[in-house]
Amino acid sequence: MSQNSVLGRCVEHDEEGMQLALEQARYAYKAGEVPVGAVVVSEGVVIGVGFNQPISTLDPSAHAEVVAVRDAAQRIGNYRLPGATLYVTVEPCTMCTGLLIHSRIARVVYGASEPKAGAMHSALQLPQQPCFNHQLLVTGGILADSCAELMSSFFAMRRAGKKRLQQGRDVGHIERG
């Protein structure tokens, strides 16, 4: 299934939206990026998709949420997405939370909490700050175990790769020694 094959799909329940976001996260995983995926749904239909790609695009802002919101805005011809819901596999960071507020997303549904950098509930609670003129509805914990497992698997694979690389360097150092 291609990344854009989910565009136009109907989403009736939060679990369906999160399954589609997980599909996007798997694209990031396969690309060697931190596996976060996102989809934007408006009136029950997917209008934007994205997955983390800051490494491959050399763009530090290319988080899944940013990519999905940009995709949706381009498709509907409006930088604001009133009434839309963003499904994302991991709790958004401060940058992405700001984007979601400014794009007027109505609702954010995330899977796994992000204790160190989550800006919705965990480390910060940006949507509840009174300084913003737009309030987001936030639902967390949808398919949290599946979302967290994908992240854990990715980082375990990455640690194992670094360990193998380090062991190779140690062997080379010993042989030359």
Side-chain angles (χ1 to χ4, degrees), residues 48-87:
V49 297
F51 60 87
N52 263 11
Q53 44 196 289
I55 298 167
S56 59
T57 61
L58 302 175
D59 178 358
S61 71
H63 290 198
E65 301 93 324
V66 173
V67 174
V69 166
R70 286 177 178 164
D71 186 40
Q74 288 292 313
R75 289 181 193 286
I76 69 165
N78 191 345
Y79 73 105
R80 296 226 166 128
L81 302 168
T85 298
L86 176 94
Y87 292 91

Side-chain angles (χ1 to χ4, degrees), residues 56-150:
S56 59
T57 61
L58 302 175
D59 178 358
S61 71
H63 290 198
E65 301 93 324
V66 173
V67 174
V69 166
R70 286 177 178 164
D71 186 40
Q74 288 292 313
R75 289 181 193 286
I76 69 165
N78 191 345
Y79 73 105
R80 296 226 166 128
L81 302 168
T85 298
L86 176 94
Y87 292 91
V88 60
T89 56
V90 177
E91 181 180 2
C93 69
T94 50
M95 175 183 71
C96 293
T97 300
L99 163 79
L100 299 170
I101 290 168
H102 290 291
S103 65
R104 303 298 193 263
I105 290 277
R107 184 167 176 248
V108 176
V109 178
Y110 68 86
S113 294
E114 177 30 276
K116 292 181 181 177
M120 297 273 167
H121 286 134
S122 298
L124 297 170
Q125 298 79 42
L126 287 181
Q128 290 82 36
Q129 299 306 309
C131 60
F132 296 115
N133 63 355
H134 175 69
Q135 300 298 305
L136 298 168
L137 296 175
V138 179
T139 303
I142 303 299
L143 301 181
D145 291 343
S146 297
C147 296
E149 173 55 36
L150 187 61

Side-chain angles (χ1 to χ4, degrees), residues 5-69:
S5 67
V6 300
L7 289 168
R9 296 250 307 259
C10 292
V11 173
E12 295 181 14
H13 306 287
D14 287 343
E15 290 78 12
E16 289 176 275
M18 192 58 66
Q19 284 291 355
L20 297 175
L22 274 163
E23 284 180 29
Q24 296 302 305
R26 289 183 192 101
Y27 288 114
Y29 189 106
K30 290 175 187 170
E33 302 269 5
V34 175
V36 179
V39 297
V40 178
V41 174
S42 182
E43 298 178 1
V45 176
V46 176
I47 62 167
V49 297
F51 60 87
N52 263 11
Q53 44 196 289
I55 298 167
S56 59
T57 61
L58 302 175
D59 178 358
S61 71
H63 290 198
E65 301 93 324
V66 173
V67 174
V69 166

